[in-house]
Amino acid sequence: MSGAVTVGIIMGSRSDWDTMRHAAETLDALGVPHECKVVSAHRTPQRLYDYATGAVGRGLKVIIAGAGGAAHLPGMTASMTRLPVLGVPVESKALKGMDSLLSIVQMPGGIPVATLAIGKPGAINAGLLAASILATTDDALAERLDAWRARQTEAVVETVED
């Protein structure tokens, strides 16, 4: 992966990496330069402020924010940047990620966050969605994304028999 970092992947705690690594792996597979940081809305508010308000100036184009529980990270990030923010609800022990999902998806009008599925599928799709957004202005990435999708289609068996 070469070139300037265009996608920021942030998460509320190191334990969220078990989920968020799937977004990073998806971006790796597509050759999309990205960074991964722990940025807690509750425990490191200044770090969050600095990250979100400085994202455009550092050349980021999309932010993927994963959070569990109260899950304020995606919304707070979106409130401080014009970049698209893709929220990934991280599965929680108490409510299996429903708390995270509902927290992220219930943004007030004017502060959009694209909310993905809970857990690994959401993280994978966040990586794909970030790549799709970038591919609107990057023909080489669009070709890689098309090839990825074609491989996915070809991998689906047609029958249930061996």
Side-chain angles (χ1 to χ4, degrees):
M1 213 172 24
S2 63
V5 171
T6 55
V7 178
I9 299 174
I10 57 175
M11 60 211 79
S13 73
R14 178 68 174 87
S15 63
D16 295 341
W17 180 242
D18 289 342
T19 297
M20 300 308 294
R21 70 180 177 83
H22 299 288
E25 291 168 358
T26 301
L27 293 170
D28 284 339
L30 293 166
V32 176
H34 59 279
E35 63 185 19
C36 302
K37 306 276 185 189
V38 174
V39 179
S40 171
H42 303 114
R43 293 181 304 272
T44 63
Q46 187 63 50
R47 187 183 304 170
L48 168 58
Y49 177 83
D50 294 343
Y51 190 89
T53 60
V56 170
R58 292 186 307 105
L60 293 183
K61 304 293 184 203
V62 180
I63 297 173
I64 299 171
H72 291 128
L73 183 62
M76 289 301 297
T77 301
S79 76
M80 293 184 271
T81 184
R82 64 175 157 80
L83 297 178
V85 175
L86 313 180
V88 178
V90 174
E91 187 172 334
S92 59
K93 288 184 173 77
L95 298 173
K96 302 293 184 202
M98 284 301 295
D99 49 345
S100 310
L101 173 67
L102 293 174
S103 180
I104 296 169
V105 81
Q106 291 298 322
M107 291 302 298
I111 309 294
V113 173
T115 308
L116 286 300
I118 298 168
K120 178 181 176 180
I124 292 168
N125 284 343
L128 290 170
L129 184 55
S132 295
I133 291 167
L134 296 172
T136 63
T137 59
D138 181 335
D139 292 339
L141 176 56
E143 288 179 22
R144 293 192 305 273
L145 187 57
D146 288 345
W148 189 94
R149 293 177 65 126
R151 286 190 303 275
Q152 176 180 257
T153 299
E154 291 165 7
V156 177
V157 296
E158 200 167 323
T159 67
V160 294
E161 301 166 352
D162 289 337

